Amino acid sequence: MAESTRYDGKNIEVLRGLEAVRRRPTMYVGDLSDRELPVRLLMQALCHAADSAVDGECTCVAIRVDGAHVDIDYDAGMPLDPAAPNGDQVALVFLSALAGCHNRKRHLSVGDELCEIGLAVLNAFCASLRVETIYRGWAAVYRFEKGKQIGDAPIVESSERDRTSISFHLDNEILGANILFDRAGLNRSIDRVRQLLPELLIDIS
């Protein structure tokens, strides 16, 4: 075998965190030119809200879409445990571990229906993502750029009611310069959520 074609352990590159998704995005979502892909990614941000809605803990969701930027707010918090190491926080697992939100769901049937590829894959497809969550008297803010966590996310006491705010901007380095949300496709996807969870109020603008 010629030296130029030799393949051994030195050729293996171990990709950490969400870098594997960013380097091989089609392995996770298929065709990047699919006009419904932005909506599929957006729907992953409703993963935890839908899971919480089954137990009546989440009653309302607000979605705001502006170009490639999306803001989502709902009245349930992602689980936080001030006594657990940061890497073991359920909220952080949702955002950074592939299939993390699937594995930590309370209602797997909802996950099968609504959480197709997961919050972590959405995170990997974002130029920036910020999550602020308040859960049972504790609060944390997580920030990511291109799937990598920026800074620490200390868990602090809070007197506010449980809630979560997710803001993200899809990355045109992966999805191209003209990222558009198919409004008809988004409405269809939201209607499916409403059918599954009729008590959950969802507002879109």
Side-chain angles (χ1 to χ4, degrees), residues 4 20 34 49 53 56 59 80 111 123 133 141 150 166 174 189-190 192 203:
S4 60
D34 183 353
T59 63
L80 298 169
N123 190 1
T133 191
V141 178
I150 304 301
I166 303 174
I174 299 177
S189 294
I190 294 300
R192 183 160 63 100
D203 178 72

Side-chain angles (χ1 to χ4, degrees), residues 97-139:
L98 294 177
C101 49
H102 286 278
N103 296 335
R104 297 296 184 102
K105 267 195 176 58
R106 289 173 291 184
H107 305 283
L108 294 178
S109 60
V110 172
D112 291 342
E113 284 284 341
L114 302 177
C115 191
E116 179 192 4
I117 49 182
L119 265 167
V121 172
L122 165 64
N123 190 1
F125 273 78
C126 291
S128 62
L129 181 143
R130 180 185 183 276
V131 173
E132 179 181 4
T133 191
I134 300 170
Y135 179 76
R136 298 182 181 177
W138 300 99

Side-chain angles (χ1 to χ4, degrees), residues 11-156:
N11 300 97
I12 298 175
E13 182 181 2
V14 178
L15 300 178
R16 301 186 182 281
L18 299 179
E19 185 63 19
V21 183
R22 292 186 59 84
R23 293 274 287 274
R24 298 288 186 270
T26 56
M27 290 180 60
Y28 296 86
V29 301
D31 184 2
L32 298 182
S33 65
D34 183 353
R35 66 193 299 263
E36 295 185 3
L37 179 56
V39 171
R40 286 175 61 202
L41 291 168
L42 182 155
M43 293 302 294
Q44 308 316 299
L46 302 182
C47 175
H48 172 254
D51 192 43
S52 299
V54 176
D55 295 323
E57 295 175 4
C58 181
T59 63
C60 58
V61 177
I63 303 170
R64 306 287 179 264
V65 179
D66 182 9
H69 186 85
V70 178
D71 294 307
I72 294 176
D73 297 281
Y74 57 90
D75 60 345
M78 292 185 183
L80 298 169
D81 180 357
N86 189 49
D88 293 336
Q89 294 298 328
V90 173
L92 184 58
V93 171
F94 284 166
L95 297 166
S96 59
L98 294 177
C101 49
H102 286 278
N103 296 335
R104 297 296 184 102
K105 267 195 176 58
R106 289 173 291 184
H107 305 283
L108 294 178
S109 60
V110 172
D112 291 342
E113 284 284 341
L114 302 177
C115 191
E116 179 192 4
I117 49 182
L119 265 167
V121 172
L122 165 64
N123 190 1
F125 273 78
C126 291
S128 62
L129 181 143
R130 180 185 183 276
V131 173
E132 179 181 4
T133 191
I134 300 170
Y135 179 76
R136 298 182 181 177
W138 300 99
V141 178
Y142 297 94
R143 296 181 179 85
F144 297 83
E145 291 182 2
K146 301 182 185 299
K148 295 182 180 179
Q149 188 174 359
I150 304 301
D152 296 326
I155 297 174
V156 299

